[in-house]
Amino acid sequence: MGDARPDATDAEPLAAEPPAVPLPNRVAAELVGTAALVAVVVGSGIQATELTQDVGLQLLANSLATVFGLGVLILLLGPVSGAHFNPVVTLAEWWSGRKDPQGLGLREVAAYVPAQIVGAIAGAILADAMFGEQLVNWSTHDRSAGHLLLGEVVATAGLVLLIFGLARTEHLRFAPVAVASYIGAAYWFTSSTSFANPAVTIGRAFTDTFAGIAPSSVPGFIGMQLIGGAVGLALAALVFTHRRTSGSK
């Protein structure tokens, strides 16, 4: 999410965070954005379960709220930090732009990732507080089955492919709609309901509500998300190599 830098080398990085924006502002945007995203995911899940007992309607309400919330957050905070809200996206951007002097550096990665994790935890606690739930209540929702882990690989690979595909085709201006739409679709076509985000996964372990995930399931999800991120980068390189080749002529 965000705008691509114009002088990308090895791959077209996602991060479009303008160098003129000071790092503390970018880190604050990542913390606030991730907190807001998790508050939307967890809060809408709690609201849905209070309004209906139909699991399908609960998932529909949860996914729609996430689509709208994520789109708004990318549009709002993309010009500040690139609107990653996701350690996999941050790591993928660092890796793809590591040969670019203007690319995301390890210093930024070391600041972004903790901010995303703290923001995710804060967002889950905030959602619980808004609905009168126990502020920290470890989830009991086990998500350790193999088919769910496969779903996380697919969900994360698709997200990274989409983001870097948009960057390489110079269509990142459509990221708010495209990324939010993909996540909304992945809620339904992946078995895991598309967490696709290590920070969000950690945050959702702090709430024993509809969107929660048991702490014991968190390492497996994160491992599959990292694998999915690598697969997504490989697919982006495979599919969009012609963009780099034609651009170098």
Side-chain angles (χ1 to χ4, degrees):
M1 317 150 189
D3 301 306
R5 293 185 179 84
D7 297 323
T9 54
D10 186 40
E12 197 71 32
L14 164 71
E17 62 259 14
V21 179
L23 182 59
N25 297 93
R26 288 183 275 155
V27 171
E30 287 298 302
L31 190 152
V32 171
T34 311
L37 174 60
V38 174
V40 168
V41 172
V42 174
S44 62
I46 297 173
Q47 183 80 285
T49 57
E50 291 183 353
L51 294 175
T52 179
Q53 297 302 310
D54 187 314
V55 177
L57 287 178
Q58 291 171 356
L59 185 60
L60 178 61
N62 193 210
S63 60
L64 284 176
T66 301
V67 167
F68 294 136
L70 180 58
V72 168
L73 289 170
I74 296 172
L75 185 64
L76 175 66
L77 298 175
V80 180
S81 69
H84 299 182
F85 314 145
N86 187 336
V88 167
V89 173
T90 297
L91 290 169
E93 187 196 338
W94 164 73
W95 178 260
S96 68
R98 66 194 183 281
K99 296 180 182 179
D100 179 6
Q102 294 184 340
L104 196 72
L106 286 175
R107 176 169 170 261
E108 285 93 343
V109 173
Y112 272 35
V113 173
Q116 292 159 352
I117 293 172
V118 171
I121 295 170
I125 293 173
L126 175 61
D128 280 341
M130 287 192 293
F131 287 91
E133 301 284 339
Q134 184 175 325
L135 296 187
V136 175
N137 191 13
W138 300 114
S139 176
T140 56
H141 192 165
D142 180 75
R143 299 179 189 261
S144 59
H147 66 282
L148 301 180
L149 298 178
L150 176 60
E152 277 302 286
V153 174
V154 172
T156 313
L159 175 63
V160 171
L161 174 61
L162 170 63
I163 292 170
F164 284 84
L166 290 173
R168 292 188 180 186
T169 56
E170 300 179 356
H171 287 140
L172 268 176
R173 63 188 179 280
F174 299 117
V177 172
V179 173
S181 298
Y182 172 80
I183 292 298
Y187 256 83
W188 292 91
F189 80 77
T190 65
S191 56
S192 63
T193 66
S194 183
F195 285 48
N197 186 327
V200 168
T201 301
I202 292 171
R204 289 168 68 165
F206 282 72
T207 177
D208 193 21
T209 57
F210 180 79
I213 177 173
S216 60
S217 300
V218 168
F221 260 48
I222 292 177
M224 294 304 102
Q225 290 157 358
L226 292 173
I227 291 172
V231 171
L233 279 179
L235 290 173
L238 177 65
V239 173
F240 296 103
T241 301
H242 69 286
R243 302 291 302 187
R244 186 169 63 239
T245 301
S246 62
S248 63
K249 291 180 180 179

